[in-house]
């Protein structure tokens, strides 16, 4: 679980229901670790988003040290307007994570595909926004919540409705 206290915890609900709750990572002073959590298909690690700082944190569930990926380094103009991170979803292979990014600049409103092994990233953007729900802020973007299908395809839900993405050409 994540919390607004900056702590990531592992709850032993099935293995040892009476066992201790393990504090896997404590990031004092960071209040934005809520949400944006997904666990790898093999159960070895979790991915946590630090929404406002633009970081993807890989937290091993065995309590060993993790890694931090700074998303801001791959966002054009991030130094001018810091985008926020929304939902995150790990691919079935556990190698890639899809992250919704949103902000006041249109180039910040997209889905970022981050390769957790190499740190390389690519963008998915819906260029055609005709028909978008008018109540959604333009900064939120057309693809708010990404999730992976078991066969490795990526789907998103957002202002433009449900979308199936072609990861080869970004359409």
């Amino acid at each position: 679980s994540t919390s607004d206290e900056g702590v990531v915890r592992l709850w032993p609900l099935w293995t040892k229901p009476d066992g201790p709750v393990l504090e896997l990572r404590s990031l004092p002073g960071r209040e934005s670790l809520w949400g944006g959590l997904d666990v790898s298909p093999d159960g070895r690690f979790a991915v946590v988003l630090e929404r406002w700082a633009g970081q993807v944190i890989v937290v091993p569930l065995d309590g060993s040290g993790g890694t931090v990926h700074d998303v801001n380094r791959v966002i054009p103009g991030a130094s001018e307007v810091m985008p926020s991170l929304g939902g995150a979803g790990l691919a079935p292979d556990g190698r890639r994570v899809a992250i919704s990014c949103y902000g006041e600049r249109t180039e910040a409103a997209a889905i970022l595909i981050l390769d957790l092994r190499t740190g390389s990233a690519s963008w998915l953007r819906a260029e055609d926004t005709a028909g978008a729900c008018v109540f959604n802020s333009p900064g939120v973007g057309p693809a708010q919540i990404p999730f992976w299908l078991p066969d490795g395809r990526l789907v998103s839900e957002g202002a433009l409705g449900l979308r199936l993405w072609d990861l080869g050409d970004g359409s």
Side-chain angles (χ1 to χ4, degrees):
S1 67
T2 58
S3 71
D4 59 4
E5 305 164 324
V7 179
V8 179
R9 294 181 177 95
L10 179 63
W11 299 77
L13 301 179
W14 288 277
T15 56
K16 296 179 185 176
D18 297 330
V21 175
L22 302 176
E23 194 171 286
L24 296 176
R25 188 148 179 132
S26 179
L27 304 165
R30 297 187 185 190
E31 300 174 352
S32 56
L33 286 178
W34 50 272
L37 168 73
D38 200 4
V39 177
S40 66
D42 61 10
R44 290 187 13 243
F45 65 91
V47 170
V48 179
L49 301 180
E50 186 169 13
R51 307 178 91 96
W52 317 128
Q55 294 181 334
V56 177
I57 305 168
V58 179
V59 181
L61 298 182
D62 65 4
S64 61
T67 57
V68 176
H69 297 272
D70 186 3
V71 173
N72 297 312
R73 69 176 174 76
V74 295
I75 296 176
S79 60
E80 297 172 28
V81 177
M82 178 78 70
S84 300
L85 304 181
L90 276 162
D93 63 8
R95 180 177 179 158
R96 297 166 295 162
V97 62
I99 305 156
S100 61
C101 300
Y102 55 95
E104 295 176 15
R105 291 176 54 136
T106 55
E107 60 266 28
I111 294 175
L112 176 71
I113 306 295
L114 178 66
D115 185 310
L116 295 175
R117 292 185 190 154
T118 66
S120 63
S122 60
W123 287 102
L124 299 174
R125 289 190 183 89
E127 301 300 332
D128 177 14
T129 58
C133 295
V134 294
F135 67 86
N136 281 354
S137 161
V140 171
Q144 289 174 281
I145 303 174
F147 57 95
W148 298 88
L149 298 175
D151 63 6
R153 294 181 296 163
L154 184 69
V155 176
S156 68
E157 175 274 326
L160 293 174
L162 193 62
R163 291 211 159 194
L164 177 63
W165 293 90
D166 181 332
L167 297 178
D169 67 8
S171 64

